[in-house]
Amino acid sequence: MRNNLIPKLHVNSPYELEIEVLKKNSIEGIIIDIDNTLVPWSEKFADEKVIELVNKLVKAGFKLCILSNGTKNRVAMFNRELKLPAVHNAAKPSRAAFRKAIKLLGTDPQNTAVIGDQIFTDILGGNRLELFTILVVPLSSKEFLWTRFVRQIEKMVLKKYKDSLKNNKE
Ligand SMILES: [Mg+2]
């Protein structure tokens, strides 16, 4: 259980993610979260930056699928220009939604990555299916109180993980 909370990779933002790293890990498909990963939580539409990133990844040969716990409307509005395969009301970390996304991508778990900002939804769900999990720093602090509470626990988990790496080196 504890290992399932540790991302394979931790980067600042999907915009800083290096394509080489994905290629090196044989990634073909990418499942991506919307809220606080691609845009701040309150942002309804995909902006230029998102469109540019999606184009870059598609051009590099990756298949993309949106996986969001957001409502049908939220996802549809965000996806209006992108027109990517998408799963809404995903109830992450539930495995079912991740399986659905993988099916839409037409990839296998071992060559599928998931990018998201939350350990207890994106990372836990992805790790359960042994996907290549990539945690990003959340874009916005406008969040529900519950999420704020979960963040504190996430910080503790990450600190423990980093401490354990440090101890292993010593
Ligand atoms: Mg999110």
Side-chain angles (χ1 to χ4, degrees):
M1 168 74 184
R2 205 178 55 189
N3 284 347
N4 275 351
L5 297 175
I6 307 296
K8 298 271 186 317
L9 193 68
H10 194 190
V11 294
N12 275 330
S13 135
Y15 304 101
E16 291 178 22
L17 188 60
E18 288 174 31
I19 283 178
E20 277 312 302
V21 176
L22 298 172
K23 295 276 183 194
K24 219 189 280 172
N25 285 281
S26 309
I27 300 306
E28 292 175 13
I30 302 169
I31 293 169
I32 193 155
D33 172 54
I34 299 177
D35 291 309
N36 278 339
T37 295
L38 285 172
V39 290
W41 183 71
S42 53
E43 193 58 54
K44 286 191 172 60
F45 298 100
D47 55 20
E48 276 306 311
K49 218 176 156 191
V50 177
I51 294 167
E52 209 174 281
L53 174 69
V54 166
N55 287 341
K56 183 177 99 176
L57 292 172
V58 169
K59 217 172 149 190
F62 298 104
K63 293 175 186 163
L64 297 177
C65 181
I66 288 171
L67 183 64
S68 171
N69 283 353
T71 62
K72 188 178 181 180
N73 266 348
R74 196 280 183 264
V75 174
M77 221 182 262
F78 180 82
N79 197 21
R80 205 166 63 182
E81 286 204 35
L82 301 172
K83 297 182 178 67
L84 292 172
V87 180
H88 55 83
N89 290 120
K92 291 178 271 185
S94 127
R95 289 176 183 86
F98 283 88
R99 288 202 184 105
K100 200 170 166 187
I102 293 168
K103 206 171 175 190
L104 286 171
L105 288 169
T107 53
D108 297 315
Q110 60 266 29
N111 51 32
T112 304
V114 54
I115 306 174
D117 67 303
Q118 290 199 55
I119 285 182
F120 289 104
T121 57
D122 307 297
I123 303 308
L124 176 58
N127 281 342
R128 277 168 153 183
L129 291 182
E130 297 184 19
L131 308 183
F132 187 79
T133 45
I134 303 168
L135 182 69
V136 299
V137 178
L139 284 173
S140 155
S141 54
K142 274 189 198 167
E143 296 169 66
F144 290 115
L145 273 178
W146 168 250
T147 311
R148 278 198 201 143
F149 167 69
V150 173
R151 293 276 179 232
Q152 292 306 315
I153 299 174
E154 287 179 344
K155 266 188 202 157
M156 282 162 52
V157 172
L158 279 180
K159 192 180 175 300
K160 257 194 162 169
Y161 170 59
K162 282 178 183 159
D163 286 349
S164 74
L165 284 183
K166 228 187 275 166
N167 290 337
N168 282 342
K169 271 185 202 156
E170 280 164 9

